[in-house]
Amino acid sequence: MSAGPIVRVTVGVPDPPTAAGRYLAAFGWTVRPDGERDRITVGPPGGQGGDVRLVRTEGSPPAPFTTYGWAALELAVRDVDQAVLDAERAGFTVLVPPLRLGTLPLRAAQLAGTGGEGVYLTQILGEVPGFALPRQRDPVDGVFIAVLATPDLEESRRVVESRLGAVRASDRRARIQVLNHAFGLPDTTEHRLSSVRLAERAAIEIDEYPGTARPRAAPRSGPVPGMGVVTVHGAEPAAFALPYGGLVEVEPATHIYRTPVSYKETIRPHPLT
């Protein structure tokens, strides 16, 4: 049985209140109760998809889409053009504007947050054969796909499939414009990618990066900068490292955080809120 869905992703940022304010202003999300002063968790009010936990790191944010490990979180949106406008006004950097993804019934854009995390905004226009996509609940739902960067797709996929019981959905080559731009490659350059399905309409996409990509620099202590951890539901608690960077946590679905303190008052409101 596959683990899933995605409960949350953890992103190391220089200033969690500032980063949280941008997510709230861009996506209309709310603050979740959390138990630590140096972290803030935000997510969609309707609860569809995983949350984003923002933690303080002393490391420098990586250039987006250039290092191994967890590269991006993907959010389903009702209107990708409007979502990109809102996100850009809130302080996200637009890397690739909304485009149709080949022949698939999807329109997507790629952005970057303050921690160097990639953010995919994807509008679902129809069913994708062999792949169960989420049903939209809020204008911007939570995380339904986590994107992993690796120099060896086969090895990384083998670990994900064996540890999470994920089911392979695709293995193909495609033009990934955000990678081509990040590495200065021609727009026609294709990259190998593979998607594996988790439970409840969630997935992990594994992208094989060019040879000029590098491991992510980590501080002496504390969280790595950028997207560092993906937490999924599963039968038994577990945690493991991926071969080329990135951690996975498995959290039982019955787990409840008893953290009564809300840190909404610590968030620095964006002018749009």
Side-chain angles (χ1 to χ4, degrees), residues 14-27:
D15 186 349
T18 296
R22 291 182 179 182
Y23 273 89
L24 298 183
F27 305 137

Side-chain angles (χ1 to χ4, degrees), residues 4-5 67 71 91 127 141 146 171 189 200 217 219 227 249-250 259 269:
T67 60
E127 296 295 327
D141 283 338
D171 187 333
T189 305
E200 298 188 37
M227 187 167 150
E249 293 179 336
V250 180
T259 51

Side-chain angles (χ1 to χ4, degrees), residues 189-200:
T189 305
E190 294 186 339
H191 307 271
R192 188 181 177 195
L193 66 151
S194 178
S195 294
V196 295
R197 294 196 303 266
L198 302 174
E200 298 188 37

Side-chain angles (χ1 to χ4, degrees), residues 18-19 107 113 173 175 186 198 208 220 230 240 243 256:
T18 296
R107 291 188 72 233
R173 298 189 66 83
R175 298 176 186 177
L198 302 174
E208 193 163 86
R220 284 187 174 183
V230 171
F240 60 92
I256 298 174

Side-chain angles (χ1 to χ4, degrees), residues 17 54-55 85 127 149 163 167 179 183 242 251:
L54 301 155
V55 298
L85 286 174
E127 296 295 327
R163 296 297 299 265
V167 178
L179 290 190
F183 291 98
L242 294 166
E251 181 179 286

Side-chain angles (χ1 to χ4, degrees), residues 70-81:
W70 291 115
L73 55 100
E74 187 164 352
L75 312 175
V77 302
R78 188 168 290 145
D79 181 337
V80 67
D81 297 291

Side-chain angles (χ1 to χ4, degrees), residues 27-29 32 43-48 76-79 135-142:
F27 305 137
W29 284 5
R32 310 296 195 214
Q48 173 88 326
V77 302
R78 188 168 290 145
D79 181 337
R135 298 181 178 89
Q136 199 73 34
R137 185 174 298 173
D138 288 312
V140 180
D141 283 338

Side-chain angles (χ1 to χ4, degrees), residues 61-71 148-152 179 182-183 207-218 225 227 243-246:
F65 297 100
T66 61
T67 60
Y68 303 133
W70 291 115
L148 179 67
T150 178
D152 188 332
L179 290 190
F183 291 98
D207 295 347
E208 193 163 86
Y209 268 34
T212 50
R214 291 291 180 265
R216 191 171 307 167
M227 187 167 150
Y244 299 96

